[in-house]
């Protein structure tokens, strides 16, 4: 069964009808696992164990229920289902009420940021880092986050955001299970790996405005064409991120970053729009998005700064107007070392219980993709477990994982709960 806002492909965005239907289904799964459920003022779904030691710090486990457009079915959802399944096993074994500390599963309402181009609405609210101005962010139709919340009977006020925020003193840590979205585990032949950190991310919106005109009458040398300018800027971004040595200066002794800081640097233009978008009209305006990611925050900021310089320089040369809007910025998140080692030990123990010919140390990976753990790292210590996916393909209906790998992830999470939560 596919719960989607679209016919023929998977799409669930922030508090969309499909997301609401998915929430209702997950509520039933959580209650079947013996969890007490509720939905907070940002649309996040919670399922919590009631334990004798209710005042102990809570272990949070979660991932997101929203998707990209034409998505795969494992991104986000797998982590929610693994967590609920592990707790259901504890309930069946009569151990759920014996947990030393409360365990809470959270299905976050927005991680992908498809509708409002602002990721982590759900987890950032819980972590207390979502600014009140986020309520005013609008989608392409001019509908704001506040409008969507009110349409779904949520408070949609600053006071409502304050209610969503968790007290750091009440939380023990956060764990997330997620597909790798990359090819490393498959290449190494491992079903699972633990994560040591997540790359920082900057999202920009570039607007290029020129002189709209007739495609057949304006001479080439007299044009102020924002489409041609945007094309040059996009190619410049590609060159900057492929060959940063040709654009940036490195000097570690003077406090600048070293070349190794740009390992894994990636830049993407994922969306382009123009007005009036007709084949016989020179556009008047072209907009495009930019996504820049790197493990080192200072290196990423330098790339963003250099791209901004290139934009203004090239737009001036072409006599078009350019503006750059910062839509999202997330600092790199480093997983807690002790929690990472605990997850590694639990995962290794789980894999030994399964028939396999795996030998050697469990891989410890960096994540180039953003995850809710980035936002939650502002609240508490975080740890992540990656699950192998075929070909490293994600954000695509071709996304695929092996049943045995899902089984291994569930066992690893159950082992973690047994070793570090259950008395």
């Amino acid at each position: 069964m596919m719960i989607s806002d679209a016919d023929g492909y998977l799409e669930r965005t922030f508090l969309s009808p499909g997301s609401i239907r998915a929430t209702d289904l997950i509520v039933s799964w959580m209650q079947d696992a013996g969890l007490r459920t509720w939905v907070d003022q940002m649309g996040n779904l919670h399922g919590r164990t009631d334990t004798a030691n209710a005042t102990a710090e809570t272990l949070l486990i979660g991932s997101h229920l929203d998707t990209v457009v034409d998505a795969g079915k494992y991104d986000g959802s797998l982590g929610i289902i693994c967590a609920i399944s592990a707790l259901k096993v504890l309930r069946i074994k009569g151990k759920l009420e014996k947990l030393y500390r409360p365990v809470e599963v959270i299905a976050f309402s927005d991680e992908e940021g498809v509708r409002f181009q602002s990721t982590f609405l759900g987890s950032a609210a819980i972590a207390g880092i979502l600014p009140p101005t986020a309520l005013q962010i609008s989608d392409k139709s001019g509908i704001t986050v506040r409008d969507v919340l009110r349409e779904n009977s949520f408070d949609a006020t600053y006071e409502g955001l304050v209610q969503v925020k968790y007290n750091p003193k009440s939380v023990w840590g956060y764990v997330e299970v997620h597909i790798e979205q990359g090819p490393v585990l498959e290449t190494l032949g491992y079903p699972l790996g633990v994560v040591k950190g997540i790359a920082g991310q900057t999202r920009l919106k570039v607007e290029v405005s020129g002189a709209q005109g007739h495609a057949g009458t304006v001479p080439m040398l007299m044009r102020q064409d924002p489409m041609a300018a945007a094309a040059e800027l996009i190619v410049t971004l590609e060159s900057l991120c492929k060959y940063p040595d040709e654009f940036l200066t490195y000097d570690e002794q003077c406090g600048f970053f070293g070349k190794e800081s740009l390992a894994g640097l990636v830049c993407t233009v994922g969306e382009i729009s123009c007005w009036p978008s007709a084949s016989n009209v020179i556009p008047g305006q072209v907009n495009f998005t930019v996504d820049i990611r790197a493990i080192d925050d200072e290196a990423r900021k330098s790339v963003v700064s250099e791209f901004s310089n290139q934009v203004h320089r090239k737009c001036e040369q072409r006599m078009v107007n350019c503006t750059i809007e910062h839509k999202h910025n997330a600092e790199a998140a480093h997983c807690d070392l002790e929690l990472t080692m605990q997850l590694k030990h639990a995962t290794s123990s789980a894999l030994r219980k399964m028939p396999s010919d795996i030998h050697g140390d469990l891989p410890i990976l960096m994540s180039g993709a953003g995850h809710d753990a980035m936002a939650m790292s502002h609240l508490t210590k975080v740890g992540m477990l990656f699950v192998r996916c075929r070909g490293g393909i994600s954000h695509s209906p071709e996304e695929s994982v092996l049943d045995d790998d899902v089984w291994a992830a569930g066992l690893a999470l159950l082992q973690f709960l047994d070793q570090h939560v259950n008395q």
Side-chain angles (χ1 to χ4, degrees):
M1 177 177 63
M2 181 172 68
I3 300 178
S4 176
D5 293 311
D7 294 328
Y9 61 89
L10 179 58
E11 177 185 348
R12 290 193 303 268
T13 57
F14 178 62
L15 292 182
S16 67
S19 290
I20 299 301
R21 295 197 301 273
T23 296
D24 293 341
L25 179 61
I26 297 170
V27 164
S28 68
W29 291 342
M30 286 180 168
Q31 292 175 347
D32 182 57
L35 308 181
R36 176 171 53 88
T37 63
W38 72 95
V39 178
D40 66 31
Q41 290 295 317
M42 207 62 189
N44 299 304
L45 170 60
H46 304 251
R48 185 180 177 92
T49 63
D50 286 316
T51 62
N53 194 8
T55 59
E57 295 173 329
T58 303
L59 167 63
L60 306 178
I61 311 175
S63 197
H64 58 98
L65 59 81
D66 68 314
T67 75
V68 296
V69 179
D70 199 20
K73 60 184 179 181
Y74 300 100
D75 181 1
S77 300
L78 178 64
I80 299 169
I81 293 171
C82 278
I84 296 172
S85 299
L87 289 171
K88 183 175 180 179
V89 170
L90 292 181
R91 182 186 68 79
I92 293 172
K93 290 184 175 182
K95 293 183 177 182
L96 195 63
E97 295 77 13
K98 299 177 182 179
L99 291 170
Y100 168 69
R101 65 178 72 254
V103 177
E104 187 173 312
V105 180
I106 307 178
F108 296 110
S109 59
D110 177 88
E111 188 259 8
E112 300 290 3
V114 169
R115 182 170 184 179
F116 293 99
Q117 293 295 302
S118 182
T119 58
F120 309 136
L121 288 177
S123 51
I126 287 176
I129 59 171
L130 188 69
T133 53
L135 295 173
Q136 302 168 14
I137 298 173
S138 59
D139 64 12
K140 295 177 182 177
S141 302
I143 299 173
T144 66
V145 173
R146 176 181 281 113
D147 295 333
V148 175
L149 287 168
R150 287 178 174 170
E151 287 172 5
N152 288 277
S153 302
F154 294 111
D155 189 28
T157 63
Y158 172 71
E159 291 73 19
L161 286 183
V162 172
Q163 293 177 22
V164 177
K165 177 183 177 181
Y166 275 39
N167 182 346
K169 295 181 179 179
S170 69
V171 179
W172 180 79
Y174 172 78
V175 170
E176 182 169 356
V177 177
H178 204 282
I179 61 170
E180 182 194 355
Q181 300 180 285
V184 176
L185 289 174
E186 186 177 59
T187 300
L188 296 175
Y190 276 82
L192 305 174
V194 290
V195 181
K196 63 179 180 180
I198 306 169
Q201 178 186 145
T202 297
R203 285 188 181 182
L204 310 172
K205 178 182 179 182
V206 181
E207 295 185 358
V208 187
S209 300
Q212 186 172 321
H214 195 293
T217 62
V218 182
M220 294 301 294
L221 294 179
M222 296 179 64
R223 296 189 178 196
Q224 295 171 264
D225 187 346
M227 182 67 79
E232 184 177 1
L233 296 178
I234 292 169
V235 173
T236 298
L237 176 68
E238 180 189 42
S239 297
L240 169 60
C241 295
K242 275 187 174 180
Y243 313 108
D245 291 358
E246 297 179 6
F247 293 83
L248 304 176
T249 301
Y250 308 96
D251 190 343
E252 295 180 74
Q253 292 182 347
C254 293
F256 297 103
F257 56 88
K259 291 184 179 182
E260 67 280 357
S261 300
L262 286 168
L265 168 67
V266 290
C267 305
T268 304
V269 173
E271 182 179 351
I272 304 175
S273 63
C274 71
W275 177 263
S277 190
S279 61
N280 61 343
V281 179
I282 302 167
Q285 181 170 308
V286 176
N287 301 333
F288 64 91
T289 61
V290 173
D291 185 307
I292 299 174
R293 307 188 190 202
I295 298 301
D296 186 280
D297 288 327
E298 292 305 314
R300 174 174 48 84
K301 291 173 184 176
S302 294
V303 171
V304 172
S305 177
E306 177 60 23
F307 176 66
S308 299
N309 292 337
Q310 293 288 334
V311 167
H312 295 303
R313 184 181 305 117
K314 293 182 182 298
C315 285
E316 183 177 356
Q317 292 171 352
R318 286 183 169 270
M319 294 184 293
V320 294
N321 295 319
C322 293
T323 61
I324 301 175
E325 182 181 358
H326 286 248
K327 302 293 290 186
H328 173 70
N329 187 74
E331 302 294 302
H334 298 280
C335 295
D336 179 74
L337 181 59
E338 182 180 359
L339 189 50
T340 298
M341 290 300 103
Q342 291 172 350
L343 282 171
K344 182 179 180 181
H345 179 70
T347 302
S348 297
S349 298
L351 291 178
R352 285 196 293 270
K353 296 179 181 179
M354 299 185 67
S356 67
D357 55 356
I358 297 173
H359 303 286
D361 287 339
L362 195 73
I364 299 180
L365 312 174
M366 290 297 302
S367 174
H371 301 287
D372 288 298
M374 296 183 75
M376 297 299 284
S377 68
H378 294 269
L379 173 71
T380 185
K381 61 185 180 183
V382 301
M384 286 196 71
L385 182 66
F386 271 171
V387 182
R388 173 173 55 187
C389 57
R390 186 180 63 195
I393 297 172
S394 184
H395 285 185
S396 162
E398 298 302 314
E399 201 173 83
S400 180
V401 298
L402 296 173
D403 290 345
D404 283 351
D405 291 357
V406 176
W407 178 247
L411 282 180
L413 194 54
L414 181 61
Q415 188 75 17
F416 175 79
L417 290 170
D418 276 337
Q419 290 181 356
H420 300 287
V421 180
N422 199 285
Q423 284 187 323

